Amino acid sequence: MDRVLAALEDAGVPRWAPGLRGGAVRLTADDGPSPRYRAFLAASRGQADVVVGTRAAAFAPVHDLGLVVCWDDGDSLHAEPRAPYPHVREVLALRSEIEQAALLVGAHGRTVEAQALVAAGWAHDVSADRARVRARTPRVRALTSTELAREGAAAAARLPTPAWRAIRDRLADGPVLVQVPRAGYLPAVACGRCRSAARCSACHGPLALHASDGVPTCSWCGRMATDWRCDECGAAALRSVRVGSERTAEELGRAFPGVPVVVSGARAATGVVASVKDRPALVVATPGAEPVAPAGYAAAVLLDAAVATAGSALGVLTDAVRRWLAAAALVRAADDGGVVLLVGDAEQRASQAIVRWDPVGLAVRELDERAALGLPPAYRMASVTGTRDAVAAVVRRVALPGLDVLGPVPVPGSERGAFEPDVRALLRVPRSGGGALAAAVAASVAVRSAKREGGTARVQLDPGELL
């Protein structure tokens, strides 16, 4: 956000101040109630021309709205976790339609939802041609197990020899970025003998190790497992399953003695670092917390690629490519020696998308696949989750042409003591019926509220997680 405001100042749009007519205001909760309210009033009274902010800024009352911009619409912070679950991209698309303003959705990657707007003809694609992309981007190489087969046993190392060599060679020209998908020291551990996941004896949550004390601690309840033993084999030794940014920084510090190591992340001791100097340094960052190097990074290493593409969420592949490209975009162009190494056996389509620097092609294929499978955004879907009787009552009152009702099925992990688990039903219609589905579900929930029906029911349109 500070970078956007600085760019606006360079373009001749100053920061707004009391008594000033025109300018840009910052609208974010981190500034505190008073500055935030002053910025809101400046926008609502027409004193500020530009509003830059976080999720809530999508609702800012800007006068004579001409342009709305959503940067990196795939970031989970754009989605409101509380009902009615508005997403910044959807809010701004509605405002642009209602107020006849232009809409710009920009990112280094391309979400399937944004591609659906292009495919429907509602939006137009704005991307650089291949010659310009090749001239401005670094060289990307995927270090998969097949690529590293000739390395022998060293291919199994978390930092294989080609990656280590690239870091060593490029450090002489400036800082090197190392992206790690997980924060912490050892965020997941397992039994050293049978490899079973280490669980807390009290709540059965996953155990993790921290650099400060080395004692396994439950990630759910915070209880320290000082006398932990494996429930399967009785062994007391632990081994790492996932390596976090703190442990990665420690290992790199030993591998490259004398080189400064900077750790950037929300959970790091130094927090999120905004920028680093153009001198040799190893910068270890989690996705979204990468500092900016004024002249660009000399190289970037994206570790644990297989972890980034693992999961059951609908957008796991496009989200992984989005995070990789956001880091790779901070690296110098290939003509200036910039190189990006993707380490690990990631999903093949995601690996090819970043090697070719082609997030649009991946989004097109993902959209076609979802259309064939009947998934959002090719179809519109409503998720109704709660107790069985409440869900059945809400679903029963929804009657639409072409409606498919999937479920209800039990929701894993929702058991509450002796009570039966929550269930979830999915209501699916073609994309053209999305408005009718929303209206019908809203009417059913209104009837439920008027009748004061028992149980619980939570409704979400086009949920991102279906498993």
Side-chain angles (χ1 to χ4, degrees):
M1 191 180 307
D2 291 333
R3 293 168 60 193
V4 174
L5 291 170
L8 288 171
E9 286 187 309
D10 293 340
V13 182
R15 298 277 188 104
W16 178 84
L20 179 66
R21 186 72 180 182
V25 294
R26 170 189 171 113
L27 192 60
T28 174
D30 292 341
D31 292 339
S34 296
R36 187 182 186 188
Y37 188 51
R38 281 196 296 269
F40 178 86
L41 290 178
S44 65
R45 294 170 178 171
Q47 298 173 350
D49 300 320
V50 181
V51 175
V52 180
T54 49
R55 188 168 57 227
F59 299 95
V62 180
H63 284 219
D64 299 325
L65 188 64
L67 173 67
V68 290
V69 180
C70 177
W71 175 254
D72 200 8
D73 63 305
D75 194 321
S76 60
L77 294 177
H78 285 309
E80 172 61 53
R82 295 173 290 272
Y85 315 106
H87 192 285
V88 170
R89 178 188 55 248
E90 308 303 328
V91 172
L92 294 183
L94 289 172
R95 290 195 66 178
S96 71
E97 185 77 17
I98 295 170
E99 303 186 45
Q100 295 298 298
L103 167 67
L104 175 63
V105 178
H108 295 296
R110 174 73 62 85
T111 62
V112 181
E113 291 75 14
Q115 181 59 34
L117 297 178
V118 176
W122 191 86
H124 299 283
D125 177 69
V126 179
S127 11
D129 56 63
R130 296 305 302 173
R132 186 175 296 273
V133 170
R134 285 192 293 268
R136 296 294 183 88
T137 58
R139 177 173 175 262
V140 182
R141 180 183 174 193
L143 298 181
T144 63
S145 57
T146 303
E147 180 79 9
L148 298 172
R150 60 178 178 272
E151 300 290 334
R158 185 163 177 259
L159 190 69
T161 302
W164 183 90
R165 189 182 301 117
I167 294 175
R168 181 199 61 189
D169 295 343
R170 298 302 297 152
L171 270 174
D173 296 326
V176 173
L177 175 65
V178 179
Q179 187 192 73
V180 184
R182 295 182 183 271
Y185 192 72
L186 294 177
V189 292
C191 174
R193 180 189 295 172
C194 69
R195 311 298 172 88
S196 298
R199 296 282 179 178
C200 174
S201 59
C203 70
H204 302 288
L207 295 183
L209 283 174
H210 304 287
S212 57
D213 49 25
V215 178
T217 305
C218 179
S219 300
W220 289 0
C221 68
R223 195 183 299 263
M224 300 180 69
T226 54
D227 56 349
W228 178 86
R229 285 192 173 276
C230 179
D231 293 335
E232 301 293 333
C233 66
L238 291 169
R239 68 183 299 273
S240 63
V241 176
R242 296 283 184 265
V243 180
S245 55
E246 294 179 14
R247 176 61 180 265
T248 302
E250 181 182 288
E251 293 174 349
L252 289 173
R254 291 197 296 262
F256 297 93
V259 178
V261 179
V262 179
V263 182
S264 177
R267 293 168 53 186
T270 55
V272 178
V273 180
S275 62
V276 293
K277 297 181 179 180
D278 289 321
R279 61 187 184 190
L282 286 166
V283 181
V284 181
T286 50
E290 299 90 349
V292 176
Y297 287 97
V301 178
L302 313 176
L303 291 178
D304 303 333
V307 174
T309 55
S312 57
L314 286 179
V316 62
L317 297 186
T318 53
D319 192 51
V321 172
R322 175 186 66 83
R323 295 180 176 185
W324 293 338
L325 290 178
L330 301 175
V331 182
R332 301 167 190 170
D335 292 342
D336 297 326
V339 61
V340 176
L341 300 179
L342 181 68
V343 182
D345 289 323
E347 206 278 341
Q348 186 176 9
R349 288 173 295 175
S351 297
Q352 289 300 315
I354 185 175
V355 169
R356 296 195 305 266
W357 207 283
D358 184 25
V360 176
L362 176 63
V364 170
R365 289 190 293 272
E366 285 285 296
L367 181 60
D368 291 342
E369 185 175 293
R370 294 195 196 181
L373 297 175
L375 296 175
Y379 282 69
R380 304 308 300 266
M381 189 174 286
S383 168
V384 186
T385 308
T387 54
R388 185 173 293 275
D389 292 342
V391 170
V394 171
V395 172
R396 185 170 54 249
R397 289 188 289 264
V398 179
L400 293 171
L403 174 67
D404 287 334
V405 179
L406 310 178
V409 296
V411 177
S414 63
E415 297 82 0
R416 295 186 295 268
F419 298 96
E420 67 174 325
D422 288 343
V423 298
R424 176 170 57 189
L426 298 174
L427 310 179
R428 180 175 62 186
V429 296
R431 184 173 177 83
S432 59
L437 174 64
V441 173
S444 180
V445 173
V447 171
R448 164 181 164 78
S449 177
K451 291 185 175 181
R452 297 185 179 182
E453 295 175 347
T456 60
R458 182 170 62 91
V459 178
Q460 185 175 5
L461 294 179
D462 293 342
E465 181 63 67
L466 296 178
L467 299 178

